[in-house]
């Protein structure tokens, strides 16, 4: 199955996150990754050194404070992104499969597993989590941070305007990219179909008021421009006032 995913990834110039069963038996994830020629595998045995940290939590049964060993998500995500960039820049491969051992769920910080039920042995109900989607979103966000920051630094005045697509990335991620070199939030859109047909789930319309609020939340000043980035000197059109 991993080899099939790898073929699909190459055809679409994409990355897939594959969650491997086995809980704490991380060697199963390694075996599957090696057999399937995955690009990278992250297992429970890897949560050591700089990839681990600790947090203080309250035991739900005893009510007492306890120190819990967890993974350093920033470090793990950065490791995955670093692998992707090396494959792209050094090997010319803009695709791959990242295998994640499902047992990593036990090492997630409490904020990511709060409210998730446990079985009679105290194990997290992994079926109630979507570990691969969770990591896919975090990896995408970190990759985009680096991508836009590098574009801003490298291209400079050659490309003074960088646009982010809130309909593809979601409102929160788009807002964050405004802090990493992006200065064009895009438009309101109306009945967008391409992304939605491809599986997008972030909506197809934002009002002018919603866009302004999002830009302001990022600490930026919202300004209306035309398609050539010229400032609008006139009042807003009727449609803009109607949807605001």
């Amino acid at each position: 199955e991993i080899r099939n995913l790898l073929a699909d990834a190459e055809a679409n110039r994409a990355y897939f996150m594959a969650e491997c069963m086995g809980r704490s038996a991380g060697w199963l994830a390694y075996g599957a990754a090696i057999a399937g020629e995955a690009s990278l595998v992250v297992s429970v045995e890897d949560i050591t050194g700089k990839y681990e940290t600790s947090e203080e939590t309250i035991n739900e049964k005893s009510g007492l404070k306890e120190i819990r060993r967890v993974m350093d998500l920033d470090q793990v995500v950065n490791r995955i992104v670093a692998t992707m960039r090396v494959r792209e820049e050094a090997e010319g491969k803009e695709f791959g499969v990242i295998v994640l051992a499902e047992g990593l769920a036990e090492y997630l910080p409490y904020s990511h597993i709060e409210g998730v039920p446990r079985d009679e042995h105290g194990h997290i109900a992994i079926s109630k989590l979507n570990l691969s989607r969770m990591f896919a979103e975090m990896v995408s966000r970190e990759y985009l941070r680096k991508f836009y920051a590098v574009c801003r630094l490298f291209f400079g005045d050659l490309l003074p305007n960088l646009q982010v697509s809130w309909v593809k990335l979601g409102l929160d991620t788009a807002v964050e990219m405004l802090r990493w070199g992006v200065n064009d939030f895009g438009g309101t859109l109306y009945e967008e179909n391409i992304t939605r047909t491809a599986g997008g789930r972030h909506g197809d319309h934002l009002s002018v008021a919603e866009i302004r609020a999002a830009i302001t939340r990022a600490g930026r000043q919202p300004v209306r421009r035309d398609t050539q980035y010229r400032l609008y000197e006139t009042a807003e059109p009727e449609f803009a006032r109607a949807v605001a």
Side-chain angles (χ1 to χ4, degrees):
E1 292 299 326
I2 292 177
R3 287 187 179 180
N4 289 338
L5 284 176
L6 194 60
D8 287 345
E10 183 174 9
N12 293 280
R13 295 172 62 192
Y15 274 86
F16 289 110
M17 295 286 176
E19 187 175 341
C20 184
M21 63 184 297
R23 285 196 177 268
S24 61
W27 57 270
L28 289 173
Y30 269 93
I34 293 171
E37 301 179 1
S39 313
L40 178 69
V41 56
V42 183
S43 186
V44 293
E45 291 87 351
D46 297 313
I47 307 306
T48 184
K50 69 177 183 178
Y51 300 112
E52 72 172 329
T53 185
S54 61
E55 65 177 9
E56 186 179 271
T57 59
I58 302 297
N59 188 294
E60 295 180 358
K61 291 185 177 180
S62 66
L64 299 176
K65 292 182 180 180
E66 59 182 27
I67 301 299
R68 181 169 167 265
R69 178 172 169 253
V70 297
M71 74 174 90
D72 188 322
L73 278 175
D74 288 340
Q75 291 289 349
V76 174
V77 169
N78 280 327
R79 177 67 179 85
I80 295 173
V81 172
T83 296
M84 295 167 62
R85 293 185 64 191
V86 168
R87 285 175 61 81
E88 293 173 3
E89 298 167 13
E91 303 174 18
K93 297 177 179 178
E94 298 179 323
F95 64 92
V97 175
I98 311 297
V99 173
L100 304 171
E102 67 175 8
L104 290 171
E106 297 284 356
Y107 294 88
L108 287 171
Y110 184 72
S111 59
H112 291 270
I113 59 174
E114 184 177 5
V116 177
R118 293 177 178 269
D119 61 22
E120 61 272 19
H121 304 292
H123 299 140
I124 290 177
I126 293 178
S127 62
K128 302 299 182 181
L129 284 172
N130 194 329
L131 189 68
S132 55
R133 180 178 290 279
M134 182 187 301
F135 267 91
E137 292 177 350
M138 290 189 291
V139 168
S140 295
R141 195 174 297 119
E142 182 59 28
Y143 184 96
L144 286 168
R145 289 189 191 109
K146 290 180 169 59
F147 172 79
Y148 282 119
V150 169
C151 285
R152 174 59 68 198
L153 293 172
F154 183 80
F155 291 109
D157 294 336
L158 293 176
L159 290 176
N161 301 298
L162 298 176
Q163 185 181 87
V164 67
S165 174
W166 60 262
V167 73
K168 293 181 175 63
L169 305 179
L171 187 60
D172 290 341
T173 300
V175 167
E176 185 175 358
M177 294 308 113
L178 292 175
R179 304 185 182 100
W180 290 82
V182 170
N183 68 320
D184 182 352
F185 196 78
T188 56
L189 295 184
Y190 193 72
E191 293 189 81
E192 196 279 342
N193 292 315
I194 298 175
T195 302
R196 184 173 55 184
T197 302
R201 61 188 192 284
H202 299 299
D204 57 5
H205 174 72
L206 284 179
S207 69
V208 173
E210 288 172 320
I211 290 179
R212 283 177 169 167
I215 294 172
T216 302
R217 180 152 52 95
R220 298 290 184 264
Q221 177 66 41
V223 176
R224 292 184 67 242
R225 299 174 183 268
D226 62 18
T227 54
Q228 294 182 313
Y229 289 96
R230 295 174 299 199
L231 286 173
Y232 268 113
E233 301 294 342
T234 59
E236 294 181 358
E238 291 298 322
F239 175 74
R241 288 205 299 271
V243 299

